[in-house]
Amino acid sequence: MALAIGADDLVENPTPRVPVTLCLDTSGSMLGEKIRELLEGVNLFYDAIDEDDDAHDAAEVSIVEFNSAANLIQDFASVERLARIDAIEPTGATYLGEGVNLALDTLEKRKSVYSNAGVLYYQPWLVLMTDGHPNGGPASLERAVQRVTDLVSAKKLTVFPIGIGADADMDVLARFSPNRPPLRLRGLNFKEFFEWLSKSVSRVSRSTPGDAIKLDLEGLAGWAEL
């Protein structure tokens, strides 16, 4: 069940926000060590944000999972409102397009909340992680690709498509990322990835909204196959 978050925390803390959406494959092929390492990485990501003064006030995280359906399991929330994830039972197919569309719908709603509350926000981040080939509706996949690439081209979204394991469809992931190639996770280095992501969020939160932020490309070596 998704945790709905209103605008009350925006009034209490008007710091410009860094919205980060994790769009995660929880299909049957993620069963076992993959899902355990992924969830441990997500919880460490929460901890790292919590311990960083700048990121603590700025970051908001949402999580969409996709298997044979797409589900919002965490609506956008600041770190003190984020519920740690104890377990997810991987099941079913890989409805990647449906997952991305739900993630973007959730982001659009949150941006409206920011605007209505008069709170600035940085360019949102979408992290897309999958270990297989999409097998949901072709129309949903095409719509998701078009929406992401339009937002990236308009400089309204930073997207990080990441393949997990040898069977990840890197060609499909590449379609979501017109400006940089997708990356394949080295082994199950989820912890290293989320450590890198938390540092990146912290760097963004110390900047001025609208500024171009250079990513820590050297840090990719800690978790990606280069």
Side-chain angles (χ1 to χ4, degrees), residues 77-141:
S78 52
V79 67
E80 61 266 16
R81 296 174 185 249
L82 291 171
R84 299 306 191 265
I85 303 174
D86 295 327
I88 289 178
E89 191 65 32
T91 184
T94 309
Y95 279 35
L96 187 151
E98 288 81 353
V100 171
N101 281 317
L102 178 56
L104 294 179
D105 291 345
T106 306
L107 175 60
E108 290 304 315
K109 289 178 184 175
R110 194 57 178 166
K111 285 160 62 177
S112 293
V113 174
Y114 294 150
S115 297
N116 292 336
V119 170
L120 298 175
Y121 60 91
Y122 298 89
Q123 188 175 122
W125 287 47
L126 171 65
V127 174
L128 174 59
M129 307 186 90
T130 181
D131 74 336
H133 300 265
N135 44 28
S140 291
L141 180 63

Side-chain angles (χ1 to χ4, degrees), residues 83-218:
R84 299 306 191 265
I85 303 174
D86 295 327
I88 289 178
E89 191 65 32
T91 184
T94 309
Y95 279 35
L96 187 151
E98 288 81 353
V100 171
N101 281 317
L102 178 56
L104 294 179
D105 291 345
T106 306
L107 175 60
E108 290 304 315
K109 289 178 184 175
R110 194 57 178 166
K111 285 160 62 177
S112 293
V113 174
Y114 294 150
S115 297
N116 292 336
V119 170
L120 298 175
Y121 60 91
Y122 298 89
Q123 188 175 122
W125 287 47
L126 171 65
V127 174
L128 174 59
M129 307 186 90
T130 181
D131 74 336
H133 300 265
N135 44 28
S140 291
L141 180 63
E142 293 305 316
R143 179 169 176 257
V145 168
Q146 190 64 55
R147 293 176 72 188
V148 169
T149 53
D150 284 351
L151 287 166
V152 170
S153 296
K155 294 184 168 50
K156 292 183 177 179
L157 185 71
T158 295
V159 61
F160 259 94
I162 297 168
I164 303 165
D167 295 329
D169 191 332
M170 303 304 284
D171 291 335
V172 166
L173 288 176
R175 296 187 61 204
F176 285 94
S177 186
N179 295 339
R180 70 173 73 87
L183 293 167
R184 195 187 301 272
L185 196 70
R186 180 184 298 144
L188 295 178
N189 284 17
F190 289 105
K191 294 176 203 170
E192 290 82 357
F193 165 73
F194 282 108
E195 180 181 3
W196 174 87
L197 184 63
S198 68
K199 290 178 179 176
S200 299
V201 170
S202 177
R203 187 180 299 110
V204 171
S205 66
R206 292 195 299 271
S207 68
T208 301
D211 285 356
I213 305 298
K214 289 187 177 180
L215 296 173
D216 173 19
L217 298 180
E218 291 183 7

Side-chain angles (χ1 to χ4, degrees), residues 33-61:
E33 190 177 7
K34 285 182 189 175
I35 197 70
R36 287 195 300 272
E37 293 288 340
L38 171 59
L39 295 185
E40 187 172 348
V42 170
N43 289 327
L44 286 171
F45 176 53
Y46 288 178
D47 292 341
I49 290 174
D50 198 16
E51 292 166 6
D52 184 287
D53 289 342
D54 296 306
H56 179 279
D57 289 340
E60 289 197 338
V61 181

